């Protein structure tokens, strides 16, 4: 699950309430596609983080992803200190990250380097373009 660790600025991200697909969960990375939130793919930069359950009107409380918000999550593989500064992909459930750096969207700023499930902090970035 992605949680807000801290902000680089004193602003607070307000909750927004976009419609969304059923089954999104707290802390999930999501993309606003066709006017509705959907679970984010591994190599797609999310536009939002879901902040609560779906409401009766089909909307979710969410915050928009900005370059000033640092998020914390847990990895599905060891994220060593050597990965700091690199961007890794999202896990298949969009609730965490992997240690895969190809087309990564979550830039690692800090890691505890724990075996298998490392706690990491970072920012979401646009994946690097594939080499031609």
């Amino acid at each position: 699950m992605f949680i807000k660790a801290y902000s680089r600025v004193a602003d607070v991200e307000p909750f927004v309430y976009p419609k969304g697909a059923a089954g999104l969960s707290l802390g999930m990375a999501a993309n606003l596609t066709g006017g509705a939130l959907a679970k984010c793919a591994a190599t797609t930069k999310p536009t939002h983080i879901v902040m609560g359950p779906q409401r009766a009107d089909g909307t979710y409380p969410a915050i928009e992803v900005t370059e000033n918000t640092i998020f914390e999550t847990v990895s599905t593989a060891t994220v060593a200190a050597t990965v700091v500064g690199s961007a890794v992909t999202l896990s298949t459930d969009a609730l965490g990250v992997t240690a895969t750096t190809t087309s990564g969207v979550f830039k690692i700023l800090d890691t505890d380097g724990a075996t298998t499930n490392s706690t990491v902090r970072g920012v979401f970035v646009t994946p690097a373009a594939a080499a031609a």
Side-chain angles (χ1 to χ4, degrees):
M1 157 170 37
F2 288 95
I3 60 170
K4 182 177 173 179
Y6 61 92
S7 290
R8 293 178 175 164
V9 294
D11 295 336
V12 176
E13 295 87 358
F15 278 26
V16 294
Y17 295 88
K19 295 240 182 232
L24 301 181
S25 60
L26 177 65
M28 182 177 279
N31 236 358
L32 192 58
T33 306
L37 289 177
K39 182 176 83 165
C40 218
T43 59
T44 302
K45 179 183 176 182
T47 58
H48 294 80
I49 300 296
V50 176
M51 300 302 287
Q54 190 173 36
R55 300 173 354 151
D57 64 358
T59 63
Y60 284 92
I63 59 171
E64 294 179 343
V65 170
T66 73
E67 65 277 359
N68 291 315
T69 304
I70 311 304
F71 290 96
E72 180 176 294
T73 192
V74 176
S75 66
T76 59
T78 303
V79 177
T82 56
V83 180
V84 170
S86 298
V88 296
T89 60
L90 301 178
S91 57
T92 56
D93 61 7
L95 292 169
V97 297
T98 69
T100 303
T101 56
T102 303
S103 300
V105 295
F106 189 76
K107 182 178 179 182
I108 303 295
L109 301 177
D110 184 46
T111 179
D112 65 4
T115 303
T116 309
N117 300 117
S118 305
T119 298
V120 296
R121 289 186 178 163
V123 294
F124 289 103
V125 296
T126 302

